[in-house]
Amino acid sequence: MLKVHAQSREELQASLKAGLGEGLVLTDAAEMVRYCRDWHGDVSSSAVAVIRPRNVEDVAATVRLCAELGLAIVPQGGNTGLVLGGVPDAPDHQIVLSLERMNAIRAIDTDDFSAVVEAGCILSEFKDAVQEKGMFFPLSLGAQGSCRIGGNVSTNAGGINVLRYGMTRELVLGLEVVLADGTIWNGLSTLRKDNRGIDLKQLFIGAEGTLGIITAVSVKLYPNPEHVETALLGLNSLDDAIKLYRRARRECCDLMSAFEFMPPVAFTLAMEAIPDLKMPIAGDYAAYVLMEISGSGLVDTSDLMSRFLEGVMEDGLVLDGVIASSRAQAQSLWMFREGMNEGQALRGAHMRTDISVPLSRLAEFVAEAEAELAKDLPECLAVSYGHVGDGNVHLNVLPPNGSTREERDHYIYKAKVIVNAVLDRYAGSISAEHGIGRLKRGDFESRLGPVQREMIERLKAAFDPELRMNPGCQLALQAAS
Amino acid sequence: MLKVHAQSREELQASLKAGLGEGLVLTDAAEMVRYCRDWHGDVSSSAVAVIRPRNVEDVAATVRLCAELGLAIVPQGGNTGLVLGGVPDAPDHQIVLSLERMNAIRAIDTDDFSAVVEAGCILSEFKDAVQEKGMFFPLSLGAQGSCRIGGNVSTNAGGINVLRYGMTRELVLGLEVVLADGTIWNGLSTLRKDNRGIDLKQLFIGAEGTLGIITAVSVKLYPNPEHVETALLGLNSLDDAIKLYRRARRECCDLMSAFEFMPPVAFTLAMEAIPDLKMPIAGDYAAYVLMEISGSGLVDTSDLMSRFLEGVMEDGLVLDGVIASSRAQAQSLWMFREGMNEGQALRGAHMRTDISVPLSRLAEFVAEAEAELAKDLPECLAVSYGHVGDGNVHLNVLPPNGSTREERDHYIYKAKVIVNAVLDRYAGSISAEHGIGRLKRGDFESRLGPVQREMIERLKAAFDPELRMNPGCQLALQAAS
């Protein structure tokens, strides 16, 4: 049970500073702002304090002191999450525990194809350090310049390379975790293969800080794929894009590293954000695919991409396409994919989804959901794009330009009801890669079977009986007594 | 707490038959023999009964009835495990729950690259059915003609393709599990990407039946690799074999599917088991590698293998080699690898290990362990081989021919002490792929840190508070009161 002490906010802040040292504790409202709002700026909240530990012992001390003071803990990495998993929601009872100062790369071992990195290291900084040693860490996200490894692991982040390398879970070899009672678990193995019973680290990957605080991670590294082929292709339909994916999966085997679907409006949106983007394909097509093949060493990816595209163009599956002839050109193709996200953001608050359905039903699902949206919300713009090779689509709905915040909220609510109703008919997932956090908690709980709920509650009771670890994230639980 | 009722064995057997039906319950001692001994025939035991459910409801009914009767449950697949995880050890208090009748393949979906299969399906039968549809299930083990999928998942089996496709864990999309209270959890999703919070299935993968009984599994499928190149190579040392692996990892990228190390004695042992095997390389080398590259579609594996071998032979890393020019020739190369296991078995009881250390220290570890064995047990034969790409070596110790069973037990005991002492200095794992079971329980527990032990105990208390699920496997736990 969460003990609630009769201390005022100021007394709690003083106790935190006394117990942990002034240097670790932020209480100034202005300084706390950026830790207490979400990435999109949709939600802002507050907290008793923001604690910024320098090492795992600081984290353990914070957890113990919070227990004494009756405070709950919201762990936070780069605060780039899309589901409010790291944003506090009980200003008088929660502290934010930011891992941003624990950002050391403890080891990069090229001989073992492994690395050990602290939770607060920014993903792109880690990727760069690894690349300098000729290695590759495959996790690739739009937010990689700001997100931090601990958050990536806590949310089991996805991204554009999942179809080849898997979600973050599949990249993790070991964890260091501070448990709810302040105990430090050192599970930082770099053994490639270790099958000693129950794999405890799996509990914390994707738990979004509800079972413990990840403070460091050991991960797999890959040989750096020096040869990368990027192509933008025009097709007749999403259905053809999925056919293309299946064929690429066979013909290019495990060398395909990205396969992103975009509708024509993607280019409109991207050019709203980046006006001097040039459309790289002349004609207009109903569907576009951004595809990447990569490899290292003796593998001839250029030849593979050419032969693959020859075949699929001959068969009329791909209507037109361009292969990047330089790294700069490849980057400009990817700018459409990134620009379309920025373009959506520029149009103001909108409904974002992160849906997965079986690949075989993806095109049908998107058509049905878009038809229902067009019928009931004709004034809104539906944009469906994403990692279709994983059955993962971001079906977003943009209210008309000029909508007020209130109108937007109304559109977002209605669109969500429509899309989720279709999704449920397809037995899909409301969260393919973003996690649950606080934003999707209601949708998650309402679809949760009683057996699964009971299992999660047993885990919470076993690892966080006082409900002190990121309460309100994933499930709304009540203390037992 | 495990309720112990005052019923005799005969009364318990009668109660099981009355409750579940005669057809599900074996009690005849002769019929039970094969369920109550281990694969190698080292251990035989007995049980109150062997229950063979036909469906998940039968499993749930068995679990509930066993709770009423105060019986514990030892789940069993093909009983091919190497660590006694499925072999009962309390004849008057345990039943064996064999999943062998639940062997249906519920679905193979080539469009979704997924399948759903019951726990009792034999691995090779599943692989064959998948291959008939042009797909591939990568798990490949010596025991695949007898082991069953449920056991593979419960033990998180490894095998020869781990370096490309990962352990069994990485192939699983969803599970159906009967929990200790008889509840059925249907977590059989085939969604490729589904990130809705804590990933409950991970709990049961590798738990060896100690948290619940896996009754069905949904798995990832891959395009069938139609092009397979197999080569047997002669090298100067294990150290060179590891150098070769690192180079292959880069030059052949993710297309390398197996990399097995064998010492010269492998061929002697293989020819003892399969006398008409012909040595495919003329000279004598200190180390051999069996390497496989595979791919589908447009990927030219033959060209890749040739160019790779040209380079490494030019540089003197590989001294001689042969590439199989047909499937039959490839199989005969693999027969050395399988024959060496049979040859070891023919020499009688011996010490088998399943060790992993960081790849960068593997050669050093093997040299040190073999030197200590040569010093203290000069009359024994040490054979080190295995999946060196994963840092996983099977360092086995064979007592001299003609040793009695008692002498063998003594040698096995001494060899284990020697090898484990070296292993501990290298921070290695006593079980890279076989699991813990009952055989390695002592070695596991004695190396288990208090935090990790506490975490496992909390899981057991949360999911099996009466210690009814495979007690004695992994940990020796006492009921709370």
Side-chain angles (χ1 to χ4, degrees), chain A residues 100-178:
Chain A
E100 66 188 1
R101 281 172 167 176
M102 284 188 65
N103 61 358
I105 298 172
R106 293 191 191 163
I108 295 176
D109 193 324
T110 57
D111 280 354
D112 282 332
F113 298 91
S114 70
V116 182
V117 55
E118 292 185 351
C121 186
I122 288 180
L123 176 57
S124 64
E125 288 177 8
F126 177 62
K127 284 171 70 94
D128 290 348
V130 161
Q131 193 150 27
E132 266 172 39
K133 302 215 168 189
M135 307 296 284
F136 178 59
F137 182 64
L139 185 63
S140 296
L141 305 172
Q144 65 191 30
S146 308
C147 66
R148 294 169 193 268
I149 299 273
N152 298 142
V153 176
S154 284
T155 59
N156 186 28
I160 57 166
N161 289 152
V162 170
L163 58 89
R164 173 143 164 201
Y165 300 99
M167 301 282 280
T168 303
R169 182 183 305 280
E170 294 183 49
L171 305 173
V172 173
L173 292 170
L175 294 180
E176 179 186 83
V177 177
V178 174

Side-chain angles (χ1 to χ4, degrees), chain B residues 321-337:
Chain B
V322 54
I323 306 181
S325 61
S326 67
R327 193 151 290 219
Q329 240 181 51
Q331 275 168 355
S332 83
L333 294 182
W334 276 105
M335 277 177 76
F336 278 104
R337 175 67 174 81

Side-chain angles (χ1 to χ4, degrees), chain A residues 109-113 133-135 155-159 162 164-165 167 169-170 179 181 183-186 190-200 202-208 210-211 220-224 226 245-246 249-255 294-300 304 307-308 356-361 387 389-392 427-436 444 447 451-452 454-456 458-460 462-465 474, chain B residues 109-113 133-135 155-159 162 164-165 167 169-170 179 181 183-186 190-200 202-208 210-211 220-224 226 245-246 249-255 294-300 303-304 307-308 356-361 387 389-392 427-436 444 447 451-452 454-456 458-460 462-465 474:
Chain A
D109 193 324
T110 57
D111 280 354
D112 282 332
F113 298 91
K133 302 215 168 189
M135 307 296 284
T155 59
N156 186 28
V162 170
R164 173 143 164 201
Y165 300 99
M167 301 282 280
R169 182 183 305 280
E170 294 183 49
L179 302 177
D181 61 3
T183 308
I184 299 168
W185 174 50
N186 184 343
T190 59
L191 293 174
R192 205 72 188 177
K193 218 170 162 185
D194 184 9
N195 204 18
R196 283 178 285 183
I198 297 164
D199 191 1
L200 295 168
Q202 304 294 343
L203 279 172
F204 304 98
I205 303 172
E208 298 178 74
T210 60
L211 297 177
K220 297 179 191 169
L221 300 181
Y222 287 77
N224 192 35
E226 306 108 9
Y245 170 76
R246 286 208 197 98
R249 191 74 190 77
R250 278 183 195 278
E251 296 198 351
C252 306
C253 196
D254 296 344
L255 298 172
S294 56
S296 59
L298 301 172
V299 173
D300 189 345
L304 179 63
R307 286 189 294 135
F308 174 68
S356 66
V357 295
L359 188 59
S360 55
R361 306 196 69 195
H387 325 295
D390 307 308
N392 180 191
S429 169
I430 57 159
S431 186
E433 59 175 11
H434 294 168
I436 299 301
F444 175 58
R447 286 163 181 78
V451 178
Q452 199 180 339
E454 163 80 19
M455 288 165 77
I456 300 171
R458 284 191 213 173
L459 283 178
K460 276 296 272 189
F463 285 87
D464 180 29
Q474 298 194 349
Chain B
D109 193 324
T110 57
D111 279 354
D112 282 331
F113 299 91
K133 302 214 168 188
M135 306 296 284
T155 58
N156 186 28
V162 171
R164 173 142 163 203
Y165 299 98
M167 301 282 280
R169 182 183 305 279
E170 293 183 51
L179 301 177
D181 60 3
T183 308
I184 299 168
W185 174 50
N186 184 343
T190 58
L191 293 174
R192 205 71 188 180
K193 217 169 160 186
D194 185 8
N195 204 18
R196 284 178 284 183
I198 296 165
D199 191 1
L200 295 169
Q202 303 295 344
L203 279 172
F204 304 99
I205 302 171
E208 299 179 72
T210 59
L211 297 177
K220 297 179 190 169
L221 300 181
Y222 287 77
N224 191 36
E226 306 107 10
Y245 170 76
R246 287 208 196 98
R249 191 74 190 76
R250 278 182 194 278
E251 296 198 349
C252 306
C253 196
D254 296 344
L255 298 172
S294 55
S296 59
L298 302 172
V299 173
D300 189 344
D303 174 65
L304 179 63
R307 286 189 295 135
F308 174 67
S356 67
V357 296
L359 188 59
S360 55
R361 306 196 69 194
H387 325 296
D390 307 307
N392 179 191
S429 169
I430 56 159
S431 186
E433 58 176 11
H434 295 167
I436 300 301
F444 176 57
R447 285 164 181 78
V451 178
Q452 198 180 340
E454 162 79 18
M455 288 165 76
I456 300 171
R458 285 192 212 172
L459 284 178
K460 276 296 272 190
F463 285 87
D464 181 27
Q474 297 194 350

Side-chain angles (χ1 to χ4, degrees), chain A residues 413-463:
Chain A
Y413 173 79
K414 286 194 74 171
K416 200 175 79 168
V417 171
I418 294 168
V419 172
N420 280 351
V422 180
L423 184 67
D424 289 341
R425 296 203 288 275
Y426 284 78
S429 169
I430 57 159
S431 186
E433 59 175 11
H434 294 168
I436 299 301
R438 290 171 175 81
L439 185 66
K440 296 192 179 179
R441 185 181 67 207
D443 290 333
F444 175 58
E445 285 192 306
S446 66
R447 286 163 181 78
L448 200 59
V451 178
Q452 199 180 339
R453 186 177 178 101
E454 163 80 19
M455 288 165 77
I456 300 171
E457 287 184 356
R458 284 191 213 173
L459 283 178
K460 276 296 272 189
F463 285 87

Side-chain angles (χ1 to χ4, degrees), chain B residues 20-21 89 92 99 159 167 236 249 254 346 351 394 435 438:
Chain B
L20 301 170
D89 62 356
D92 297 326
L99 279 301
M167 301 282 280
N236 262 331
R249 191 74 190 76
D254 296 344
L346 287 177
M351 184 191 71
H394 300 302
R438 290 172 174 80

